[in-house]
Amino acid sequence: MATTTFEAVRAEALFVSHLQCSQSPRSDEIRTAVATTLRRVGIQGCAAQVAGEFGDHPDTAVARMAWALAMVRSTYPARRNAPRSMQLLTRSA
């Protein structure tokens, strides 16, 4: 499954957030954590922190990003009626 830009940004924000895999957060908690983290550090800040974690702790960062991406995909389902440009973008990835 191709990852959209929205998914990637949200997954990075969740990765950087205070939520932990072991907490089994609810969808509303995930949405709040993503929004709060993006407001606090921004898109570039999230990307920088994710890069740092992959550099410092690649063994745990991979599992955390897989968890974050799975949580984002289950919390923010893909829109079936996405604009044509978005549909083409996700197909080509």
Side-chain angles (χ1 to χ4, degrees):
M1 172 185 270
T3 302
T4 68
T5 302
F6 289 122
E7 284 178 331
V9 168
R10 289 171 175 155
E12 288 176 351
L14 183 57
F15 181 101
V16 172
S17 78
H18 68 280
L19 291 181
Q20 298 298 312
C21 309
S22 60
Q23 292 174 301
S24 300
R26 298 182 319 266
S27 290
D28 62 319
E29 293 173 311
I30 291 169
R31 287 177 182 272
T32 299
V34 167
T36 301
T37 303
L38 285 171
R39 276 193 299 273
R40 185 172 45 85
V41 297
I43 293 171
Q44 291 178 341
C46 289
Q49 288 184 36
V50 168
E53 285 300 311
F54 269 89
D56 295 341
H57 309 285
D59 50 326
T60 57
V62 171
R64 182 158 175 84
M65 183 52 79
W67 167 80
L69 190 53
M71 293 297 98
V72 163
R73 285 181 173 158
S74 67
T75 301
Y76 302 89
R79 290 181 33 195
R80 292 187 186 268
N81 296 326
R84 177 121 174 94
S85 59
M86 181 59 82
Q87 291 172 1
L88 293 174
L89 199 124
T90 57
R91 280 190 207 143
S92 64

